[in-house]
Amino acid sequence: MALINTGAANIHSVAKAIRSIGGSPEVTTDSDKILSAHAAVLPGVGANDAVMRALNANGLPEAIRSFAESGRPLLCICLGMQILFDRSEEGELPGLGLLGGEVLKLPQQVDSHLGATLKVPHMGWNQITFKDEEAERHPAFANVAQGMYFYFVHSYHCVPSRASDTAATAWHGIEICAAIAHENIVGTQFHPEKSGRSGLSIYDRFLDHATAVS
């Protein structure tokens, strides 16, 4: 499995999480290694332009697009999910354009449910709600219960052009896209590696799925 090095600070925590459930991630910026892998993980923290500059410097956008278009499993985490889209309000550089849509800044507003001002960034544990029943979900999400809590750290949120690309939502003053699934591409706005057993189960299921389809 290729663990694509975006220069983000959490790359080692993602690698550690994957190893803890029996995976063998290879942290790499080598296009050939990415293109020859049976599965890939694209993590990320930080800002849109910083990560896109790092990917561009290593010639990786085309390799990631080619990998995704090959049909092999691709898991994208947090900013790694955001850069799948066409554009982001966070910066000027375009994303990978693998999914239609944009990334917008979270509004700082009063939550009508709680009567309290919600802070940006959205940081901490939050519940997610899947759109589909378990049997209809991407295999990476197959064993995750409705209403399970996961750990979020973000100031921007994805707005897919296709409603069908949103696999799960969460509430932070507005309904936000918490996870996406489109054919072989799956992503989470939250951090599975920071979300205890529930988060590790997503990596575990993704690995099982990648092995099954390879």
Side-chain angles (χ1 to χ4, degrees), residues 149-209:
Y149 281 83
F150 291 90
Y151 195 83
F152 290 78
V153 184
H154 65 116
S155 298
Y156 293 80
H157 66 108
C158 301
V159 183
S161 298
R162 292 181 296 260
S164 60
D165 287 347
T166 298
T169 60
W171 182 263
H172 190 70
I174 59 171
E175 187 177 71
I176 60 173
C177 177
I180 60 97
H182 178 80
E183 299 177 350
N184 58 309
I185 302 172
V186 63
T188 65
Q189 183 61 72
F190 54 86
H191 287 271
E193 72 280 359
K194 296 182 179 181
S195 299
R197 286 186 177 183
S198 298
L200 291 179
S201 74
I202 291 176
Y203 286 128
D204 197 16
R205 289 284 181 155
F206 177 77
L207 286 178
D208 287 346
H209 170 64

Side-chain angles (χ1 to χ4, degrees), residues 1 31 41 49 51 90 100 104 107 110 133-134 161 178 204 214:
M1 170 186 289
S31 294
V41 177
D49 284 7
V51 165
E90 189 178 22
L104 305 179
V110 174
E133 297 301 321
E134 186 171 326
S161 298
D204 197 16
S214 64

Side-chain angles (χ1 to χ4, degrees), residues 116-132:
T117 300
L118 294 171
K119 295 181 179 179
V120 178
H122 171 209
M123 182 180 298
W125 296 88
N126 203 345
Q127 290 178 294
I128 68 170
T129 301
F130 286 100
K131 291 174 56 179
D132 297 324

Side-chain angles (χ1 to χ4, degrees), residues 6 16 31 40 42 51 72 75 87-88 93-94 100 121 123 196 202:
T6 62
K16 182 179 178 180
S31 294
L42 176 63
V51 165
R72 284 169 287 173
L75 172 62
R87 67 191 69 82
S88 174
L93 295 179
M123 182 180 298
I202 291 176

Side-chain angles (χ1 to χ4, degrees), residues 54-102:
L55 293 178
N56 289 330
N58 289 299
L60 294 183
E62 190 54 43
I64 296 169
R65 292 187 190 102
S66 295
F67 181 92
E69 290 164 1
S70 76
R72 284 169 287 173
L74 175 63
L75 172 62
C76 306
I77 307 298
C78 196
L79 185 57
M81 183 176 97
Q82 293 180 3
I83 63 173
L84 291 173
F85 292 87
D86 299 315
R87 67 191 69 82
S88 174
E89 285 188 337
E90 189 178 22
E92 298 180 357
L93 295 179
L96 296 171
L98 284 166
L99 297 178
E102 59 186 348

